[in-house]
Amino acid sequence: MSNPPTEYYSEERWQNWIDRIKDEEIDPEDESSARLLLNLQDDTAIAIAKIVAAYDDGDIDDETALEEIADVREIVLGEVDIEDEEKLILVDGVQTSLVCVFFAAEEYIANGPAEDGTVGDYLSAAADAEAEEDLDAALGYAAQAGTLIIDEDELDMTVAEDLEYGLVTEWINGLDSLQSAMSDPEVVEEDG
C-alpha cells in the first residue's frame, strides 16, 4: 500500500464492514440490514468528524488534516470486491452519500464554514443545480451546507422530503451521518 494507514481509519476497518455485508443476508427493507449499512456510513463519518475536530483543536495542521481525509476517501471510495450485485449497489449508495462528507470536510478545512446562507439554502441550491444537471455545482452547494453542519448548524432532514430522489438526497443522507458524528463521534462500534 502506498499510503501509511491513517490513525483515524484503516483499510482493515473498512474491509471488516464489507466482509460483514458479504456474509449477511442483506435486505434494505429489513431493519438490521439497513442498520448495518447506516453503521458503515456513520463509521466513516465519525472518522472524518475526528479529523476535523483534531484540526479545530489545533492537534493537526490543515495540510495533515487534508491528507488524512484523502487517505480515508481513498479507502472508502475505492472499488469494492463484492460479487453480489444487489449488495454492491447498496454499498455504492453508501459511498455516494459519503462523497459530500469528504468534500464538506475538505472545504471546511481549506476555507472555513460558508458565510452566506443556511444549510437549507445551500441544499435548495444544490437541488436546483442537480435539476439543471450541473452536478459539480450541486456537489459544491451540498459541501457548503456540510461546512455549516461541521460548524454546528442544524440539518433539518425535512428538507429532503420535498426533493426528488437523486444525488442531492443521497448527499443529504451522508450529511445527516456527519451531523450525528459531529455531535457524538463515539456511537458506532466496529464489531457492532
Side-chain angles (χ1 to χ4, degrees), residues 12-13 16-17 20 24 36 39 43 188-192:
E12 182 185 357
R13 185 169 181 154
N16 286 345
W17 286 107
R20 280 185 58 193
E24 290 190 26
L36 177 60
N39 286 349
D43 193 49
V188 180
E189 289 304 315
E190 188 179 342
D191 301 323

Side-chain angles (χ1 to χ4, degrees), residues 120-144 163-169 171-172:
D121 294 340
Y122 281 109
L123 292 175
S124 292
D128 292 345
E130 182 181 16
E132 292 168 16
E133 297 184 11
D134 187 349
L135 299 182
D136 288 343
L139 181 56
Y141 288 126
Q144 292 292 331
L163 300 179
E164 204 165 305
Y165 181 78
L167 281 174
V168 172
T169 53
W171 294 334
I172 290 171

Side-chain angles (χ1 to χ4, degrees), residues 67-102:
E67 284 172 12
E68 292 287 354
I69 292 167
D71 288 348
V72 178
R73 177 175 39 212
E74 194 171 300
I75 292 166
V76 171
L77 298 186
E79 206 168 304
V80 177
D81 180 26
I82 296 180
E83 288 178 16
D84 183 313
E85 191 66 33
E86 255 180 53
K87 290 180 181 179
L88 197 57
I89 289 168
L90 293 169
V91 171
D92 184 63
V94 169
Q95 290 173 308
T96 300
S97 294
L98 288 167
V99 165
C100 188
V101 172
F102 292 117

Side-chain angles (χ1 to χ4, degrees), residues 56-71:
D56 272 344
D57 294 345
D59 296 338
I60 57 176
D61 63 17
D62 55 349
E63 193 175 316
T64 304
L66 291 170
E67 284 172 12
E68 292 287 354
I69 292 167
D71 288 348

